[in-house]
Amino acid sequence: MQEQIGKMDKIGWERQGSRVGGRLQRSSVGAGRIKDMAEFAGEFAYIDWLRKATPQDPRVLIGPGDDAAALRLSPHAPCLVTTDMLLEGSCFRLSEAGPRLVGRKAMAVNLSDIAAMAGKPVAAVVSVGLPRQGGRQLAEELYHGLREMADQFNTALAGGDTNSWEGPLVISVTLIGEATNRGPVRRNGARPGDWLLVTGPLGGSILGKHLTFTPRVQEALALHASTELHAMIDISDGLAADVNHLCVESGCGAVLHAESIPITSAARSMNDSQTPLEHALTDGEDFELVFALSPADGERLLRTQPVSGITLAHIGECVAEGLWLEKDGRRRVLEPRGYVHAFQ
């Protein structure tokens, strides 16, 4: 996953497999004489393997092997670009998940962002920071997980960057997509009176769903084709937090109905101080979609359930201001709690 496969830092200088102290060492070959990169251990041997393992794709005009990838995109559709970085110890535990599931998740979270805009994924570039010990085998297993998810959604792997260091695994995926002829669905189109619908049950993702979920790409495209979606967001930080994000961008508020929020069996099985509803509201990494639309369109979707494989649920409405939870006929302020990357 190296955009700069054929690039030398200077003529006559080469990156060595060991890269002691992260410094570049002068090559033993003379100036202007460049050895086959595959002869070097580590980064370039892995890149050579990766180029052979990656099939050609007609949408990729220039793939791994140059300074940048070149993609063939439709001249009539907006290009969508999203990126997510996953950190060992924060976004996953490598010892528990294994590298394939980590690779799968890294691709899936980006596909979910494209789904949130009702877009079509096209290609991805992947950057990894590998631990020096065992990095090669880890990289290959990551690749297989990435490919599994990319192939499922007809997404080309077009390149990226590969590094090694003394720290834990870091993986970052940048995904390029394109909007349909109806345009991208944004967060900022909700209005008071809209209904809020969700594509599936929520909560308890830590028990496994955060690694194995299927991004709602096809579901979003089907919804976008069949109705007018005013606003949409994927639930990565938590239902309360992400509905709040949508409302802030749209300049409105929302009321969520506690009894209508679908809750996973995983959330109901959590044995801690939080209720299943609290898990559904705040856990995050469910990667379902919540979207706003007119009451008439919402009623029609609920009646017909036109999207195969999911059951849409009506969980609330947009209002003029505030974020509220209505339970047992009483309405109270809902704090937009969810996952936040905190730093100072």
Side-chain angles (χ1 to χ4, degrees):
M1 298 134 180
Q2 167 70 296
E3 293 173 347
Q4 301 178 352
I5 294 167
K7 178 182 177 181
M8 306 308 298
D9 297 87
K10 290 182 180 178
I11 295 295
W13 289 72
E14 293 171 342
R15 299 180 191 228
Q16 303 300 303
S18 60
R19 295 183 64 187
V20 176
R23 299 168 63 184
L24 296 175
Q25 306 294 319
R26 184 174 295 274
S27 171
S28 60
V29 297
R33 182 178 164 213
I34 302 174
K35 295 178 69 177
D36 182 357
M37 293 303 179
E39 292 180 29
F40 290 97
E43 177 185 1
F44 294 111
Y46 168 60
I47 291 165
D48 184 63
W49 174 87
L50 183 122
R51 293 179 71 179
K52 294 174 181 175
T54 302
Q56 291 186 342
D57 190 292
R59 296 165 300 181
V60 180
L61 300 178
I62 303 173
D66 219 304
D67 288 290
L71 305 175
R72 188 194 309 275
L73 299 181
S74 167
H76 307 295
C79 178
L80 306 175
V81 181
T82 186
T83 188
D84 260 294
M85 178 184 292
L86 274 61
L87 308 174
E88 184 176 353
S90 174
C91 306
F92 60 88
R93 295 186 179 94
L94 183 60
S95 60
E96 296 176 10
R100 281 204 181 210
L101 281 181
V102 171
R104 183 190 187 282
K105 177 178 180 177
M107 185 63 67
V109 297
N110 284 274
L111 288 163
S112 185
D113 283 335
I114 297 295
M117 302 189 78
K120 301 176 182 178
V122 175
V125 291
V126 182
S127 295
V128 291
L130 299 167
R132 288 199 173 96
Q133 295 299 317
R136 172 59 186 266
Q137 183 177 358
L138 173 60
E140 292 188 14
E141 289 297 306
L142 280 173
Y143 174 81
H144 290 308
L146 289 159
R147 278 292 307 277
E148 173 190 335
M149 194 87 280
D151 289 351
Q152 186 175 339
F153 291 93
N154 192 28
T155 302
L157 285 178
D161 191 26
T162 305
N163 288 284
S164 63
W165 69 319
E166 299 299 339
L169 174 63
V170 179
I171 179 168
S172 177
V173 176
T174 298
L175 201 147
I176 299 96
E178 59 184 2
T180 69
N181 57 9
R182 299 196 68 173
V185 180
R186 301 183 60 186
R187 298 180 181 183
N188 64 1
R191 61 199 74 161
D194 280 355
W195 280 15
L196 291 171
L197 271 61
V198 71
T199 56
L202 309 173
S205 64
I206 191 64
L207 297 185
K209 185 182 178 182
H210 75 108
L211 293 168
T212 61
F213 72 93
T214 299
R216 300 301 190 187
V217 174
Q218 300 305 328
E219 293 83 354
L221 291 170
L223 288 167
H224 196 29
S226 65
T227 194
E228 182 182 352
L229 303 175
H230 295 169
M232 187 157 62
I233 189 171
D234 71 327
I235 303 173
S236 55
D237 296 332
L239 177 63
D242 287 317
V243 167
N244 186 65
H245 295 325
L246 185 149
C247 289
V248 168
E249 292 299 317
S250 296
C252 66
V255 178
L256 300 181
H257 304 305
E259 291 83 1
S260 300
I261 296 171
I263 301 173
T264 65
S265 57
R268 297 185 188 280
S269 72
M270 299 283 283
N271 186 21
D272 57 18
S273 60
Q274 290 189 299
T275 67
L277 176 61
E278 288 172 327
H279 280 292
L281 287 168
T282 64
D283 277 358
E285 296 217 311
D286 290 298
F287 298 104
E288 299 291 347
L289 301 174
V290 59
F291 55 95
L293 73 175
S294 72
D297 284 340
E299 191 279 329
R300 176 177 56 84
L301 289 182
L302 292 177
R303 184 180 69 254
T304 60
Q305 294 291 339
V307 182
S308 175
I310 63 171
T311 300
L312 299 170
H314 174 207
I315 62 169
E317 293 86 38
C318 295
V319 296
E321 59 183 4
L323 186 63
W324 312 89
L325 181 68
E326 194 167 277
K327 185 178 182 182
D328 299 326
R330 294 183 177 182
R331 186 176 294 185
R332 64 175 177 83
V333 173
L334 177 62
E335 295 295 328
R337 293 191 297 117
Y339 189 82
V340 176
H341 289 281
F343 51 86
Q344 296 180 345

